[in-house]
Amino acid sequence: MTKLSELTEREILALAIASEEEDGHIYADFGQMLAEDYPDSAAIFQDMAEEENHHRRSLIDLFVRRFGNHIPLVRRQDVQGFPSRKSAWQMQNRGIEAIRAQAADMERQAARFYRQAAGQTQDAEIRKLLGDLATEEERHQREARRLEDAHLNDNSRDREDEHSRRDFVLRIVQPGLVGLMDGSVSTLAPVFAAAFATHSPHAAFLVGLAASLGAGISMGLAEGLADDGKLSGRGAPLLRGLICGAMTFGGGIGHTLPFLVPDFRLAFGVSIVAVAIELLLISWVRWRYQDTPFGSAMVQVFLGGALVFATGVLIGSS
């Protein structure tokens, strides 16, 4: 792979042209992708795409004056250390803030690249060219902030942030919480029933492992097959299924792992502590993302956990 220090002035300018063209395309894609749910931010990215196209045309005019009509193909992936870009489709499920952060990084990386390139040559003309390009990219950052101020007032940003939060809750938090609740609560009965029936930590661990895996697979499939996400806006079913299944397994295995301890009393005590931590985590998530009062969430979750725990103990002791 070619190093930046090995590029000629002609090749560096060609690389800048290709980079501006790619960045403009990415911004236009962002604008198209966000138009329905985030119209104000979409307008910002459309304006930024126009800015990139303007800079590209200016760079092409400079190239033609200096080197002629043929612009060689020099791509950022061909140059060692040149920052890569994520396409718009790779950012579809990342949220509006992640997209804004990506745009800011794109401008910062471009300016840093030009400054670094300028510092690698002693040729005054080349240093001037690269310095001018770095200044242009730094101006892009200021322009992006100006465009954001023009299109996004406090109400618009609050509205888009709230939409992003609800989208995150629907796609990530909700399937994860359902899985965590099922794994933490439903597996209590078989684990503690096996523990009290056999007084064998190994037997309780095997039952808990089987219950956690079975529940994780079952809940993952149920979540993934229940809704394709197109009408509900809950996102890709595969992602929701994976999140739900993983959290279900995590909720069950948390109070199962202590039974790897050979001493039954110690394993039982540590498992009880693990259950309490799991139920506190569920209560916190409900308070944090579902606007449920923390005290009310604790009462509901701990009451349900206690009933299932008592069921397992009674069955195991009978």
Side-chain angles (χ1 to χ4, degrees):
M1 182 174 290
T2 304
K3 295 181 180 179
L4 176 63
S5 59
E6 299 172 349
L7 296 181
T8 65
E9 183 180 7
R10 177 173 178 267
E11 291 167 341
I12 288 174
L13 191 54
L15 174 61
I17 293 170
S19 299
E20 293 286 354
E21 183 174 291
E22 182 178 359
D23 289 353
H25 202 158
I26 291 174
Y27 289 145
D29 287 345
F30 282 161
Q32 182 69 25
M33 186 173 67
L34 298 173
E36 182 176 353
D37 294 329
Y38 304 98
D40 296 302
S41 288
I44 293 174
F45 285 115
Q46 293 291 355
D47 287 347
M48 291 177 70
E50 287 299 319
E51 283 290 318
E52 296 298 309
N53 286 332
H54 173 72
H55 299 148
R56 177 182 58 84
R57 289 193 294 269
S58 298
L59 287 166
I60 290 175
D61 290 340
L62 175 60
F63 185 97
V64 170
R65 290 196 303 270
R66 293 286 303 277
F67 304 111
N69 291 324
H70 177 70
I71 301 175
L73 178 61
V74 183
R75 302 170 300 180
R76 53 166 49 100
Q77 60 264 37
D78 299 328
V79 179
Q80 183 176 337
F82 200 98
S84 61
R85 300 285 191 256
K86 288 185 177 180
S87 301
W89 66 268
Q90 294 176 290
M91 303 289 293
Q92 284 182 353
N93 297 316
R94 297 287 300 278
I96 183 64
E97 287 302 327
I99 292 176
R100 290 172 182 162
Q102 156 107 349
D105 284 342
M106 288 168 62
E107 300 299 335
R108 283 193 296 267
Q109 289 170 358
R112 190 182 306 118
F113 161 73
Y114 290 131
R115 291 296 182 195
Q116 180 182 353
Q120 292 180 355
T121 178
Q122 299 301 315
D123 186 288
E125 195 171 10
I126 295 178
R127 290 175 69 89
K128 180 180 183 303
L129 174 62
L130 297 178
D132 289 344
L133 292 174
T135 301
E136 278 290 292
E137 292 300 333
E138 290 166 352
R139 188 176 70 81
H140 292 182
Q141 296 182 54
R142 296 192 297 272
E143 185 69 10
R145 287 193 292 270
R146 185 191 68 78
L147 291 173
E148 186 167 332
D149 291 339
H151 287 284
L152 279 184
N153 55 35
D154 291 339
N155 290 334
S156 297
R157 180 177 289 277
D158 289 343
R159 184 174 63 252
E160 291 194 353
D161 289 345
E162 178 60 22
H163 188 284
S164 179
R165 176 185 176 276
R166 291 181 180 178
D167 193 57
F168 175 72
V169 170
L170 278 175
R171 295 171 181 237
I172 306 298
V173 174
Q174 190 177 74
L177 180 60
V178 169
L180 182 61
M181 291 179 65
D182 184 85
S184 299
V185 176
S186 69
T187 58
L188 289 177
V191 171
F192 287 102
F196 276 83
T198 64
H199 285 270
S200 168
H202 181 66
F205 172 76
L206 291 179
V207 171
L209 179 61
S212 300
L213 286 171
I217 295 171
S218 175
M219 288 296 293
L221 288 173
E223 177 65 32
L225 297 176
D227 178 11
D228 63 6
K230 293 180 180 179
L231 294 179
S232 64
R234 297 180 64 215
L238 177 60
L239 177 62
R240 294 197 331 269
L242 289 174
I243 292 172
C244 185
M247 293 303 293
T248 302
F249 175 76
I253 204 67
H255 52 258
T256 297
L257 288 176
F259 286 102
L260 288 172
V261 178
D263 184 87
F264 177 77
R265 291 180 179 274
L266 178 59
F268 176 75
V270 175
S271 184
I272 291 297
V273 173
V275 171
I277 293 174
E278 292 165 5
L279 298 181
L280 281 172
L281 178 60
I282 292 171
S283 301
W284 180 84
V285 172
R286 295 190 65 201
W287 166 75
R288 175 66 175 81
Y289 293 103
Q290 296 188 334
D291 299 325
T292 304
F294 189 73
S296 175
M298 283 188 60
V299 170
Q300 295 169 2
V301 172
F302 274 82
L303 177 60
L307 291 174
V308 177
F309 172 78
T311 300
V313 172
L314 289 175
I315 292 175
S317 301
S318 60

